[in-house]
Amino acid sequence: MRFVFSLIFSMSFLFGFSQKPELHSQNKKAISFFEDADREYGLGLVMEATASVKKAIEIDSNFLEPHVLLGQIFLDKKQYDSAGTEFTKALVLDVNNEIPLIYRMLAETEINQLQLMEAINHLEEYKALDDVSDFAKKIADELIELAMFRKSMIDNPVPYNPINLGENINGEWFEHSPTLTVDGQTLYFTRKEPVTDENGATKYDENLYVSYKDKSGDWSIAKPLGPEINTSVVEGASAISPDGNYLFFTRCTGAGPNENCDIFIATKRGDSWVKAKNLGEIVNSRYWESQPSFAPDGRTLYFVKRVGKKYETRKNIYKTQIQDNGTWSDPVGVSINTSGNEESPYTHPDGETFYFTSDGYPGLGGRDLFMVKIDSNGKFGNPVNLGYPINSDMDEVSLIVSPSGKKAYFASGMDGGFGNWDLYSFELPKNVRPIPVNFTKGLVYNKETKDPVGAKFEIIDLSTGNIVVESFSDRNTGKFLVTIPTGRQYAVNVSATGYLFYSGTYDLISGDDSSKISFDIPLSPIKKGEAIVLNNVFFEFNSYELKSKSKYELNLLVELLTKNPKIAIEIGGHTDNKGSEAYNQKLSENRAKSVYQFLISQGISEERLGYKGYNFSSPIDTNETEEGRAKNRRTEFKIVNIAE
């Protein structure tokens, strides 16, 4: 629930009368200024109301009601010290407890100042008063619950030692919204700073910057991205895709209530960014969308949009996905949204740990940072507050987490920095860490010409059968960078038009996040005589029954044959040398036949297919070791003909 209460809108509401209340002053001039302030405040004219109510107090400093109204104005503006001063004065002046709500307003101020026992005491005094309704007591109980929650957080702090990222990143103005490539070597962020326009006027502009980590672990001097990204309008709040080839970011035009912010995407080609494109009207409305986060599955985009009325400032997190036809699905709000504000979404590369900021859940005040788990069906669990003092009575925003899960980065205006907001890092408490992630990098190239190839990657979790990553190698360089959470076994499939696909299996059950997989992938052009091993086709032990986790690789083979209808292939089954030749001959032949029958069941003509068992006559490794025998137990396919 959201612990936010609208306490007063006018003094008649405050005192509970439909008619004009009797005021605690005999000075007509002071009363006149106060009535002006009451009317102005009710109309939303806060500056005018502040000036009028201060004049009333100057004339009669013991006038109770102006102190209450001024305290409420300060509370609305989150100026808690000033609000507490006014409410304390009002409580002293209200000797007969004619305005019980003063206790509650003072307690809310103290809760926001983290003066929690004082707040609890004032709320208990408030509940004990005769004129307090049962409904008002319920609100007081909820405030007591919030105060006790905050006290528990403060009494049980988590380890926290924020480290400023240094002057190469941070300047004298505002740095925020970091995003990090999965190898942890490239940092993008937003910088907000004053600029002078053509008319000589000063305004704030925001642009995207990039910095690279050197061999010693230091960040290079941040440089602005080029004109393909940064323009004369506001750019910021970016998210880099796991492979580093796609940059989602916000671009805004206009100002004030007419501000229009949309999400754009830019594609990296080699070392350059291709001109950015608007994601379109399915994702972007006429008003405000920002703060993108692209999930490691290569399909899901989280972002923040304003909800409610046309210019309402309340913000929630939404989700959209790239569909098979290349369009975005209709955005839907995620289940963790509250009636408050949810912002700064971030999906860790492990694919199941999600971070965000919210003022709609119990916290320390302002916007707190939270972690929540997402299950394999995309369902969110229960959010967990990151704890005190990571969260304080101020706003905490823009958190991201390193691939290892140990280090977090965020923006803060804490004392001791280089400017208004700086970027910091800190070690994340173990209870809110994600699964460590390996990154896999390398090069896809033509096996014959050595030319780079733009290819599609699919990484499948073999324990669940779910595709956890979809990505592409750079079509100009052939380079790729994909993430693989540790502690699991994966199938990796790589495919490109005009080539036979590649398949591999990677066992990361040990969960060692220190080993980074790096390899190159040669793709064979489609031609007669070419053969590849189906590394992700699996059978039950000593059986020719296909395991269900083989379907992804077999579907790739179906897709290859469908797109290339002139190809005819032979499925070959191979075994190790354990057992008799007759036994292995039958086993290898039946396993090849199982694949053959699967292809026919998927609509591939049997005229294009053949199968053969080779037992252990064609080993590709030694049969003297278990590792070698495992490689020899394989299923292959070979192109035997390409029709003219």
Side-chain angles (χ1 to χ4, degrees):
M1 65 180 300
R2 190 177 183 220
F3 294 87
V4 176
F5 306 94
S6 180
L7 295 178
I8 64 173
F9 298 96
S10 67
M11 294 310 288
S12 59
F13 174 84
L14 171 63
F15 293 111
F17 301 123
S18 58
Q19 70 274 15
K20 183 176 179 180
E22 182 176 346
L23 301 175
H24 292 71
S25 178
Q26 302 299 316
N27 189 301
K28 293 182 179 180
K29 193 171 183 180
I31 291 173
S32 177
F33 275 121
F34 169 72
E35 289 177 339
D36 287 344
D38 181 33
R39 183 181 65 258
E40 290 161 345
Y41 182 63
L43 293 171
L45 303 173
V46 178
M47 290 182 61
E48 293 84 348
T50 304
S52 296
V53 77
K54 285 183 176 180
K55 289 178 181 177
I57 293 173
E58 287 176 5
I59 295 169
D60 184 354
S61 61
N62 293 321
F63 189 176
L64 169 61
E65 287 81 2
H67 287 290
V68 179
L69 179 56
L70 185 57
Q72 180 61 50
I73 291 172
F74 285 135
L75 184 57
D76 287 346
K77 296 165 70 174
K78 299 183 179 180
Q79 296 176 3
Y80 300 122
D81 288 344
S82 298
T85 298
E86 296 303 322
F87 290 140
T88 300
K89 290 178 182 177
L91 204 59
V92 172
L93 293 171
D94 189 17
V95 292
N96 296 317
N97 291 324
E98 295 178 61
I99 311 177
L101 201 56
I102 296 173
Y103 283 94
R104 201 175 94 193
M105 291 189 288
L106 176 57
E108 184 178 348
T109 302
E110 290 166 335
I111 288 173
N112 283 294
Q113 293 175 299
L114 300 182
Q115 297 171 3
L116 301 172
M117 289 309 302
E118 294 90 335
I120 292 170
N121 291 335
H122 281 130
L123 288 166
E124 294 293 355
E125 291 181 71
Y126 171 65
K127 289 169 58 182
L129 297 175
D130 293 336
D131 295 336
V132 177
S133 68
D134 289 342
F135 177 74
K137 290 178 181 179
K138 181 180 179 181
I139 293 176
D141 285 336
E142 290 177 345
L143 284 169
I144 290 172
E145 182 183 347
L146 175 60
M148 293 299 293
F149 173 83
R150 291 186 177 177
K151 185 175 186 304
S152 175
M153 296 270 287
I154 292 172
D155 289 346
N156 297 279
V158 298
Y160 180 59
N161 181 31
I163 298 173
N164 193 292
L165 294 192
E167 60 185 351
N168 285 353
I169 300 291
N170 296 311
E172 62 177 313
W173 299 106
F174 299 85
E175 284 77 30
H176 63 92
S177 301
T179 183
L180 193 68
T181 54
V182 295
D183 59 3
Q185 301 301 301
T186 306
L187 178 73
Y188 297 89
F189 64 93
T190 305
R191 177 174 289 167
K192 178 180 179 181
E193 54 192 342
V195 295
T196 302
D197 64 20
E198 62 274 8
N199 299 317
T202 299
K203 64 177 183 178
Y204 278 99
D205 189 22
E206 294 185 74
N207 286 303
L208 290 171
Y209 281 70
V210 63
S211 175
Y212 304 95
K213 186 175 286 188
D214 61 25
K215 293 181 179 179
S216 63
D218 297 324
W219 292 105
S220 66
I221 297 174
K223 302 292 184 183
L225 297 185
E228 301 85 358
I229 305 295
N230 293 326
T231 67
S232 59
V233 298
V234 168
E235 283 85 21
S238 64
I240 193 72
S241 64
D243 60 9
N245 288 332
Y246 300 95
L247 185 71
F248 296 86
F249 67 97
T250 308
R251 179 173 288 166
C252 302
T253 58
N258 296 315
E259 180 184 35
N260 177 26
C261 294
D262 283 351
I263 297 173
F264 284 68
I265 182 173
T267 304
K268 198 171 188 181
R269 294 287 180 251
D271 294 326
S272 301
W273 292 101
V274 175
K275 189 174 182 179
K277 296 180 180 179
N278 191 300
L279 287 190
E281 61 183 7
I282 294 178
V283 175
N284 293 313
S285 70
R286 294 172 53 199
Y287 306 115
W288 192 94
E289 287 77 27
S290 184
Q291 302 175 25
S293 174
F294 196 53
D297 64 4
R299 282 184 175 264
T300 305
L301 178 71
Y302 295 93
F303 64 99
V304 177
K305 67 183 300 180
R306 287 180 179 155
V307 295
K309 298 179 181 179
K310 183 176 179 181
Y311 297 131
E312 190 171 345
T313 57
R314 187 166 68 89
K315 299 167 185 175
N316 279 169
I317 297 170
Y318 277 69
K319 178 177 78 170
T320 181
Q321 291 183 307
I322 300 173
Q323 302 176 106
D324 290 339
N325 63 4
T327 64
W328 293 96
S329 64
D330 290 333
V332 295
V334 299
S335 62
I336 55 173
N337 287 330
T338 69
S339 59
N341 295 282
E342 279 69 46
E343 300 180 73
S344 300
Y346 172 70
T347 311
H348 188 263
D350 73 351
E352 64 178 55
T353 311
F354 189 88
Y355 299 88
F356 67 103
T357 187
S358 174
D359 62 10
Y361 292 93
L364 272 296
R367 290 172 289 177
D368 277 17
L369 294 166
F370 292 83
M371 181 277 292
V372 63
K373 290 292 186 177
I374 307 174
D375 68 19
S376 59
N377 296 316
K379 183 179 179 181
F380 285 85
N382 296 317
V384 176
N385 192 297
L386 264 57
Y388 174 85
I390 295 173
N391 288 316
S392 69
D393 58 344
M394 306 297 287
D395 286 334
E396 281 75 38
V397 297
S398 304
L399 181 126
I400 63 171
V401 180
S402 67
S404 70
K406 294 179 180 178
K407 183 178 289 188
Y409 299 82
F410 77 121
S412 175
M414 69 178 72
D415 294 338
F418 291 90
N420 288 273
W421 289 351
D422 281 359
L423 295 183
Y424 290 80
S425 68
F426 65 94
E427 188 169 315
L428 200 62
K430 291 182 179 179
N431 68 307
V432 290
R433 287 181 185 176
I435 298 172
V437 169
N438 279 346
F439 64 86
T440 302
K441 63 195 310 182
L443 175 72
V444 183
Y445 63 93
N446 184 309
K447 182 179 179 181
E448 295 183 353
T449 67
K450 312 304 180 186
D451 292 334
V453 175
K456 178 182 178 181
F457 278 80
E458 286 184 340
I459 299 179
I460 299 103
D461 183 340
L462 291 175
S463 64
T464 64
N466 292 329
I467 297 175
V468 295
V469 175
E470 287 187 71
S471 187
F472 295 86
S473 61
D474 187 290
R475 67 185 184 189
N476 290 336
T477 66
K479 293 180 180 179
F480 64 88
L481 177 66
V482 293
T483 60
I484 306 180
T486 60
R488 299 172 187 172
Q489 188 180 50
Y490 297 95
V492 177
N493 295 319
V494 184
S495 58
T497 302
Y499 295 87
L500 300 181
F501 60 82
Y502 164 90
S503 68
T505 303
Y506 297 94
D507 189 346
L508 302 180
I509 299 297
S510 65
D512 181 9
D513 65 334
S514 64
S515 60
K516 308 305 179 186
I517 305 169
S518 181
F519 58 90
D520 294 341
I521 297 175
L523 291 184
S524 299
I526 295 174
K527 68 177 184 178
K528 185 176 179 179
E530 284 292 334
I532 67 168
V533 176
L534 297 170
N535 286 309
N536 295 314
V537 170
F538 306 99
F539 297 92
E540 298 295 339
F541 179 70
N542 278 345
S543 169
Y544 52 86
E545 181 182 349
L546 283 164
K547 289 187 175 182
S548 59
K549 61 184 179 180
S550 303
K551 66 179 181 179
Y552 293 98
E553 183 127 324
L554 292 177
N555 285 335
L556 276 180
L557 182 52
V558 170
E559 183 180 354
L560 176 71
L561 293 170
T562 301
K563 289 182 177 179
N564 299 274
K566 296 182 179 182
I567 290 177
I569 67 169
E570 177 196 86
I571 309 298
H574 300 263
T575 67
D576 59 29
N577 66 350
K578 282 195 170 184
S580 68
E581 182 176 351
Y583 169 81
N584 282 297
Q585 178 61 37
K586 183 177 180 180
L587 180 63
S588 62
E589 186 171 321
N590 282 334
R591 286 183 169 180
K593 185 177 180 180
S594 292
V595 174
Y596 166 85
Q597 290 174 331
F598 176 87
L599 296 176
I600 291 174
S601 74
Q602 300 302 303
I604 305 301
S605 171
E606 60 183 294
E607 295 178 356
R608 301 173 57 197
L609 304 173
Y611 66 91
K612 183 177 180 180
Y614 288 89
N615 58 69
F616 47 77
S617 63
S618 302
I620 58 174
D621 206 331
T622 179
N623 276 310
E624 300 303 316
T625 66
E626 179 51 43
E627 182 180 355
R629 288 191 292 270
K631 291 181 179 179
N632 289 331
R633 298 190 296 269
R634 68 195 190 279
T635 305
E636 296 180 340
F637 80 88
K638 178 172 64 176
I639 299 176
V640 295
N641 190 37
I642 302 178
E644 295 296 331

